Amino acid sequence: MFAMRAVAIIRSLGHKVCILFDQPLISQKKVTIQEVEIMNQHMLNLLGQAGCTSIDGIYYSTSNKKEDIYAKPKIGLFQHAEATLPGVKFKGGAYVGDSIEDLLMADRAGATPVLILSGNGKRTLEKLKSPIYMMLRPKVKTFETLLDYALSLTS
């Protein structure tokens, strides 16, 4: 529930909030779009309970295939959100995630990559030490939790 409270704090500070994620299980026929939408509605309900009464959008890709322009780390989801949501611009903003793909996608879109160490974040932090990510590493801001990141925006 701390993550939901964190989103509420970010929103209360006047920031645009878009949730972007991959749902490759759709293309693998393991879940349906309807099931994903039910999960999204549940997430929105939890956000509401945490005090976040609105977000700007939820976007997801239905696969993680290389040729999918919306699959991370490609920036198709960013471009789609910017094209359909007035005032949403990722360049100069931030994108929070816990995977290398999240960080690469943020950087490619001109957003600050923010790494949260919960979830897969600690493994991602280890991957960042690889020479292949030498140029990305100094751009990444790291926080233990999403709540820590949200609180950093208040100071």
Side-chain angles (χ1 to χ4, degrees):
M1 201 60 169
F2 288 119
M4 300 302 170
R5 182 69 191 125
V7 175
I9 290 168
I10 293 167
R11 186 65 166 170
S12 74
L13 294 171
H15 296 284
K16 301 280 187 185
V17 174
C18 291
I19 299 171
L20 310 175
F21 59 97
D22 288 333
Q23 270 303 348
L25 296 179
I26 293 172
S27 67
Q28 297 167 16
K29 307 281 189 228
K30 294 181 180 176
V31 299
T32 65
I33 288 176
Q34 182 181 9
E35 289 169 322
V36 171
E37 291 300 327
I38 289 168
M39 288 185 284
N40 288 344
Q41 187 57 55
H42 179 66
M43 177 178 52
L44 290 172
N45 290 340
L46 291 174
L47 284 168
Q49 291 169 19
C52 181
T53 58
S54 70
I55 62 170
D56 294 284
I58 299 175
Y59 295 87
Y60 55 90
S61 65
T62 58
S63 80
N64 58 0
K65 297 177 181 168
K66 267 178 138 175
E67 61 274 3
D68 183 349
I69 64 167
Y70 299 108
K72 295 176 186 179
K74 294 188 179 115
I75 62 169
L77 284 175
F78 283 138
Q79 293 168 330
H80 184 61
E82 287 180 344
T84 58
L85 295 171
V88 170
K89 298 287 179 233
F90 290 96
K91 187 172 185 165
Y95 183 71
V96 179
D98 68 352
S99 73
I100 284 290
E101 292 78 16
D102 292 327
L103 302 176
L104 289 169
M105 186 171 74
D107 186 49
R108 289 174 182 169
T112 298
V114 178
L115 175 63
I116 301 302
L117 296 179
S118 53
N120 295 316
K122 288 184 178 148
R123 275 182 262 141
T124 300
L125 188 60
E126 286 302 310
K127 287 180 186 177
L128 269 175
K129 293 177 182 175
S130 168
I132 195 168
Y133 301 116
M134 182 176 27
M135 300 301 285
L136 177 64
R137 199 174 21 242
K139 299 175 187 178
V140 176
K141 293 186 177 184
T142 304
F143 296 87
E144 282 294 321
T145 67
L146 185 58
L147 186 58
D148 291 329
Y149 170 67
L151 293 173
S152 79
L153 299 175
T154 63
S155 42

